[in-house]
Every structure is written in C-alpha cells, then in structure tokens.
C-alpha cells in the first residue's frame, strides 16, 4: 500500500532539478501535491532533511516576507542560505549575468531571484545548472500564489469549484493567482479599473490551463467580481517601481477598496487575503484587514510552508 507521503513524493519527483519561473511550471497534479506537502510540513506530519544544501538569494527588490520565509524554510529543511545582494557582490559592478549564474551553480544548490524583468530570470535559468526560483518579478509571483491557495484550502478544504475574487491592479500577483487557480480548479475573478487589466496573454494562458471547469474572468465592476466569492484578495495599487504613479492610481482605483461594503457582497463565510505590505484606507479598509474574515497573517505564514515544499521538491529532497 502506498502511503500519502509516498504518493506526494511520486507526483513531485519530476520537479527535481527543475526551474520554477512561473506557476505554470508545475502541472495541476503537482500544484495540488505541493499544497498537500506544505500542509504536512506545517502540521509536523512530515519532516524533510535536505542535507545542508545551500540556497542563494539574489534580491534586487526590497523584501520582508519572501526573504525571511526562504531563509527560515531552508533552515527548517536542514540547509542554509547565502545572501547575494547585488550591492555587495560583483553583480553590482557589472559582472555579466551569464558568468554569475555559472559560478553560483558551482557553489549553491538553487537560486531564488527577486527582480523586475521576467527575462532576467529566464536568462539566469538558461545559464545556471541548478534550479532557479521566481521569488517575484514584474510578470509573476508564483510562490505567493502557492501560499494563497494553501490558506484558502485550510479554510474550505477541497478547492475545486471555489471562487477567489481579486480586486485591484492586474499585476504580477493577479497573473499568478489566475494561473495557479486555474490549475487547482478554482474560479478566479479579477476586478480592476479599465486600463489596469492583466496581460491578455496571461489571461489566455490561465484559461487554457483551467481544470474542473474553472472560470477565469476579468471585470471592471468590483461588486460583480466579489459577489458570492469565498475568498477576497487585494494588493497595493502601486507596486515597487510604480511609486511615481501613486496619485494617478489612487484616482483610477476609487471604488476598488476592499472594504466592508464589498465584503458584504461575498459569501457569508468569505475570507480576506492580502499579500502585504498593506496600505490601510487605500486598497483595504482597516476594519476588514483586522476583522474576523481576515486570514492575512495566516497567509503570510504560509509563505514559509509553501516554499519549504517547493524547495524540497526542486532540490530532490523527497
């Protein structure tokens, strides 16, 4: 008889040595198995030892949750991290990316990269001979999406047929929510002002990946987006690198604040999510963020557990 742990390991074994640049880099079965493994690690039902392997962190964007969660995840897996901040390495002095990637492949067992352009991540993956992980780019935030759906799974159990409504900018977080949700059979509705929609190519990609009849939709009506949804999600209106657009975006996003009125339109059991940092009174009201529906800090913690599962799978620790 195959145990639950053996079953998860069998599903995830093809990910060993692979890159994770997009939520699409794990198929539907593997994505569900990553959430199962994350839940096992969180509960203590499963322990994994990576044998002192090393994760390199290349972060050109500021970070709290992503940095700390990767560091703690590796420590709990028996490994360690090395901070490769471009300001204190030769990257900051113009060493070619292809040289850096090949050298680091001799020292580290995987790289987690948090940067602006997705192409930079793709270039690292091309030149490196170790797994490269998307720790955030302007295109996607796939590790965040794993934590988000782990949080939703904790609240509701089976995810297929549930609805997540994201209200705000059609940004990297929205992109990964659409793709990851499609793979898990979750209906994902994106509510955003005209001109701030997700990229059409990503929308098409998510719809092509959808399983279990999941519907991926975009609307400019925030009330229609959240009506009857089991999870309501928002993010800052101006992401890193868009600070100069703050005033313009505040005007454009009027009516898109995740507040008590929008929450009242959702399922009576709905939970509230935010990937943080949050601006109370802008994209989310203080009352909703601190209210009984909020699972925002559970969601933040779940970055740790989801990334433990991902690291174990990519580093062949199962």
């Amino acid at each position: 008889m195959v145990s639950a742990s053996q079953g998860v390991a069998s599903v995830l074994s093809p990910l060993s040595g692979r890159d994770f640049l997009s939520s699409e880099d794990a198929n539907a079965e593997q994505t569900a198995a990553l959430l199962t493994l994350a839940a096992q690690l969180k509960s203590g039902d499963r322990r994994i030892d990576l044998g002192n392997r090393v994760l390199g962190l290349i972060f050109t964007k500021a970070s709290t949750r992503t940095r700390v969660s990767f560091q703690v995840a590796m420590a709990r897996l028996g490994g360690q991290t090395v901070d490769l901040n471009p300001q204190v390495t030769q990257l900051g002095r113009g060493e070619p990316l292809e040289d850096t990637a090949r050298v680091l492949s001799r020292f580290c067992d995987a790289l987690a990269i948090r940067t602006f352009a997705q192409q930079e991540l793709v270039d690292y993956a091309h030149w490196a001979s170790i797994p490269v992980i998307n720790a955030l780019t302007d295109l996607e935030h796939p590790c965040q999406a794993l934590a988000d759906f782990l949080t939703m799974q904790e609240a509701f159990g089976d995810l297929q047929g549930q609805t997540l409504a994201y209200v705000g900018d059609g940004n990297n977080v929205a992109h990964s929510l659409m793709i990851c949700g499609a793979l898990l059979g979750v209906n994902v509705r994106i509510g955003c002002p005209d001109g701030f929609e997700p990229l059409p190519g990503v929308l098409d990609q998510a719809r092509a990946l959808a399983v279990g009849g999941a519907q991926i939709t975009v609307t400019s009506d925030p009330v229609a987006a959240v009506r009857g949804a089991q999870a309501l999600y928002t993010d800052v209106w101006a992401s890193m690198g868009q600070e100069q657009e703050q005033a313009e975006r505040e005007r454009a996003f009027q009516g898109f604040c995740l507040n008590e009125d929008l929450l009242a339109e959702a399922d009576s059991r709905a939970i509230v999510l935010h990937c943080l940092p949050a601006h109370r009174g802008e994209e989310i009201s203080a009352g909703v963020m601190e209210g009984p529906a909020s699972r925002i800090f559970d969601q933040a913690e779940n970055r740790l557990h989801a990334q433990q599962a991902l690291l174990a799978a990519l580093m062949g620790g199962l």
Side-chain angles (χ1 to χ4, degrees):
M1 183 175 180
V2 177
S3 70
S5 295
Q6 289 172 320
V8 167
S10 176
V11 172
L12 293 177
S13 61
L15 294 180
S16 179
R18 298 268 302 276
D19 300 317
F20 190 68
L21 310 184
S22 164
S23 291
E24 188 181 13
D25 286 334
N27 64 27
E29 188 178 18
Q30 291 162 347
T31 302
L34 284 170
L35 298 190
T36 298
L37 178 58
Q40 292 171 348
L41 289 164
K42 183 175 183 177
S43 67
D45 291 339
R46 183 83 185 274
R47 294 186 64 84
I48 295 172
D49 188 345
L50 289 180
N52 206 35
R53 292 177 210 182
V54 178
L55 172 68
L57 303 178
I58 302 177
F59 283 24
T60 57
K61 279 189 169 185
S63 173
T64 299
R65 281 151 293 278
T66 301
R67 180 184 296 278
V68 176
S69 58
F70 268 117
Q71 289 177 321
V72 176
M74 280 300 290
R76 291 194 178 183
L77 292 168
Q80 56 188 301
T81 56
V82 56
D83 187 356
L84 300 166
N85 186 325
Q87 294 180 340
V88 296
T89 64
Q90 296 294 348
L91 278 169
R93 297 181 65 247
E95 181 171 17
L97 180 154
E98 55 266 34
D99 295 354
T100 299
R102 285 179 287 184
V103 168
L104 293 178
S105 295
R106 307 294 182 101
F107 298 145
C108 301
D109 299 287
L111 296 174
I113 299 175
R114 182 179 175 93
T115 189
F116 291 89
Q118 182 78 8
Q119 186 58 50
E120 181 180 344
L121 192 73
V122 171
D123 291 343
Y124 268 108
H126 174 76
W127 290 104
S129 57
I130 55 177
V132 173
I133 301 167
N134 183 346
L136 179 143
T137 67
D138 288 348
L139 182 65
E140 276 204 59
H141 200 356
C143 294
Q144 179 67 56
L146 288 174
D148 301 337
F149 287 108
L150 176 60
T151 310
M152 196 171 174
Q153 183 171 277
E154 288 173 341
F156 300 109
D158 185 14
L159 288 172
Q160 284 216 3
Q162 302 287 344
T163 297
L164 180 147
Y166 171 94
V167 179
D169 186 24
N171 59 13
N172 50 1
V173 171
H175 289 161
S176 288
L177 287 173
M178 291 192 299
I179 296 170
C180 192
L183 291 167
L184 292 166
V186 177
N187 303 311
V188 179
R189 301 182 196 146
I190 306 295
C192 52
D194 291 334
F196 294 89
E197 299 88 352
L199 292 175
V202 178
L203 179 59
D204 292 341
Q205 178 186 11
R207 286 172 171 166
L209 292 169
V211 301
Q215 296 184 337
I216 314 299
T217 57
V218 177
T219 177
S220 59
D221 182 348
V223 174
V226 305
R227 187 170 290 130
Q230 283 74 46
L232 305 189
Y233 196 127
T234 192
D235 189 11
V236 295
W237 290 340
S239 299
M240 283 178 282
Q242 298 173 332
E243 290 83 0
Q244 71 281 3
E245 303 173 21
Q246 180 70 32
E248 173 192 347
R249 285 171 172 263
E250 286 180 11
R251 290 190 294 272
F253 283 86
Q254 291 303 308
F256 285 82
C257 176
L258 180 44
N259 57 21
E260 289 78 358
D261 291 339
L262 280 186
L263 181 58
E265 298 287 342
D267 186 292
S268 60
R269 304 167 300 145
I271 63 172
V272 170
L273 303 174
H274 191 307
C275 54
L276 299 175
H279 299 153
R280 292 165 175 82
E282 289 184 19
E283 76 276 0
I284 189 168
S285 71
V288 167
M289 181 158 179
E290 303 295 347
S294 176
R295 299 293 184 276
I296 291 170
F297 294 99
D298 295 333
Q299 174 191 7
E301 178 191 341
N302 282 339
R303 291 292 303 278
L304 166 63
H305 308 300
Q307 286 160 201
Q308 271 189 274
L310 179 65
L311 289 165
L314 298 183
M315 292 188 181
L318 302 178

